[in-house]
């Protein structure tokens, strides 16, 4: 009876070990996601107050503050003001 219990523990341990190995093997086979294929999060687009050109908010020049800032595509248009 004692040996049967030891055998059962060994069988369970081997089963767990094999399952873990299979999961690691599958992980290794799956190619890592390539950086260049990942999409960038969408950016807020704003329109230039002078010419209406749409550009990412991070690239725009801002004049004024919230709640209604004016965005410009270039320093030239910012100097000319809204159309
Ligand atoms: Zn502009």
């Amino acid at each position: 009876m004692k040996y049967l219990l030891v055998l059962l523990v060994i069988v369970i341990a081997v089963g767990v070990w094999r399952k873990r190995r299979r999961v690691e093997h599958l992980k290794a086979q799956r190619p890592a996601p390539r950086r260049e294929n990942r999409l960038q999060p969408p950016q807020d687009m704003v329109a230039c107050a002078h010419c209406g050109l749409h550009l990412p908010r991070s690239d725009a020049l801002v004049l004024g503050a919230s709640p209604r800032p004016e965005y410009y595509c270039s320093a030239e248009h910012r100097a000319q003001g809204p159309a």
Side-chain angles (χ1 to χ4, degrees), residues 47-53 55 71-74 76-78 80:
C48 174
H50 184 80
C51 66
L53 177 81
L55 66 160
Y71 297 98
Y72 294 95
C73 64
S74 62
E76 212 173 283
H77 283 180
R78 185 174 60 183
Q80 292 173 5

Side-chain angles (χ1 to χ4, degrees), residues 17-35:
W17 176 71
R18 285 184 63 181
K19 188 175 180 181
R20 221 182 252 175
R21 266 190 57 157
R22 197 180 319 145
V23 168
E24 283 172 12
H25 183 69
L26 286 175
K27 269 188 196 168
Q29 273 188 339
R30 197 177 308 145
R34 289 166 54 188
R35 230 161 214 275

Side-chain angles (χ1 to χ4, degrees), residues 7-77:
L7 187 68
L8 186 71
V9 168
I10 289 173
V11 166
I12 290 172
V14 168
V16 167
W17 176 71
R18 285 184 63 181
K19 188 175 180 181
R20 221 182 252 175
R21 266 190 57 157
R22 197 180 319 145
V23 168
E24 283 172 12
H25 183 69
L26 286 175
K27 269 188 196 168
Q29 273 188 339
R30 197 177 308 145
R34 289 166 54 188
R35 230 161 214 275
E36 52 270 18
N37 283 350
R38 273 193 221 143
L39 293 174
Q40 296 292 318
Q43 292 188 34
D44 284 342
M45 299 295 281
V46 293
C48 174
H50 184 80
C51 66
L53 177 81
H54 285 82
L55 66 160
R57 188 193 300 263
S58 58
D59 292 348
L61 300 174
V62 186
L63 190 67
S66 297
R68 291 200 52 136
E70 289 173 343
Y71 297 98
Y72 294 95
C73 64
S74 62
E76 212 173 283
H77 283 180

